[in-house]
Amino acid sequence: MYYNQQDNPVREAERSEMAPPEKKAGRAWPAAAPRRRKRMESRNGVERSAYFARREAAKVLRSALQGDARRRAVGSIKSLVYSPSVRNKKATFALVCQTLKHLPLLKEVLAATNILSGKWKRQEELVYVIAYDVLFGQDIAMSGPVEKFLMFRKNELQSALAKLYVKEKVKSVESLLLEYQTPVSSKPRYVRVNTLKMDIDTAMHELGKATTVMKDDLVPDMLVVPTGTDLHDHPLVMNGSVFLQGKASSMVAVALCPKPGWQVLDACAAPGNKTAHLAALMRGQGKIIACELNEERVKVLRTSITKSGAHNVDIIHGDFLKLDTKDPKFSKVCAILLDPSCSGSGISAERLDNLLPSYSQDNDIDAAKSQRVKKLAAFQRKALVHALSFPAVERVVYSTCSIHQTENEDVIKSVLPFAASRNFELATPFPQWPRRGLPVFEGSEHLLRTDPTEDVEGFFIALFVRKQFKKKILRRKTREIYLPFGKISAMWMRDITIKRRKRWTMLDSRMII
């Protein structure tokens, strides 16, 4: 027997169950179907989010590992993760860190299974990330060709990991990781208020809604927040009102002490935090020339400057060493901030460099005497001599985020004769700061050091100040007369001195007679 669709009782019941609430008088809407749909939608959303987070983590991992292999990092792991191009920052950051922590194990397991010997070698970093998720991550359904391939060989991967346990005579992955991981002590976090956009009291009030905030007692416009505070997604950070910048890093621009209206040169400017700080100290007045050689880092620099709201910054994509000191465009540069490429040994923990493959290798040798550090020091000396050669410059700050004497005191000592010939002398930035330069030459007490254990970061700062271009040539009881000290005045003073000596010699001879 056939029923009309409208007269079918089963269809009618189904239509009644599926009808919206407003069409069913006196009956409650059954929750089973929409709940099931929501669960499926939620699961699909989690899978989709995990899928893209793995791809973003693989890109960051590739940049970090390639930079580490060349010893020319485009940026730290944190800066790579928190760049504007990465959307799911928290998930990506967690995946990158966990994959790097487990990387030695993952490499051994994957080598035992020959998974990377074929076409998947081209997607090596993505294989690392997904292999971590398969072996150690959360139980999330895998979608994607690489995910499905590794899930198909999951038993083989687990078997290789079990053999590694037997080989190393351990019972858990935690025991294996102990020999690879370096403990990092908990330290406070620092935030620099960008006074081009917001005053410090307003920033304290806004940040105080999310965490405890205190003013730093040394660096102006610097705030201190508790350990572990994550402000990367905070609106003030996103719009450039505050910068997540370390205390020691912020001391560099303050040491240069640029004045509003000056023309300042930032020699190796990327990623741009110090450049933006200079602009804030100058209240947006004057001019800042920011020089950067690396094309990728220039993009990061532009992003930072735009974010800071600094309108007085001109970016030069080029080599600082090739800038012509006699070029009229640099004739009014009166202050230079030189923060050249360095080993980064003072901020390795903050940058998470301890997770990179080269970190353990650097610990096996005396890194301070390595060829890499020697090459860096040679470049740093050239850059500092070049900075001191600009005709109108009055103040030069040389800084590194290194703890090695080779890149710090030795560089300063080597350029002191040239600095003296240009009429420069070492000044003392932050005189109240207790940690000074290593006592390897006379005058090293003018230098400034921060300790990575005590002060979160390990930085080095040297300040060169040009002496006044005036010399006293005549002193009287009531007043002093000055003349410019140049070649003509020097010759004139020499002739006057010779004549006076002759006169005194004649008088002395008469008195003896």
Side-chain angles (χ1 to χ4, degrees), residues 147-171:
E147 284 90 342
K148 291 177 180 178
F149 173 74
L150 290 178
M151 284 297 291
F152 179 73
R153 301 188 65 173
K154 182 176 180 179
N155 292 337
E156 193 177 348
L157 291 170
Q158 290 177 333
S159 176
L161 182 62
K163 290 179 181 178
L164 191 59
Y165 289 165
V166 175
K167 176 185 175 182
E168 299 294 337
K169 299 179 181 180
V170 297
K171 296 182 179 180

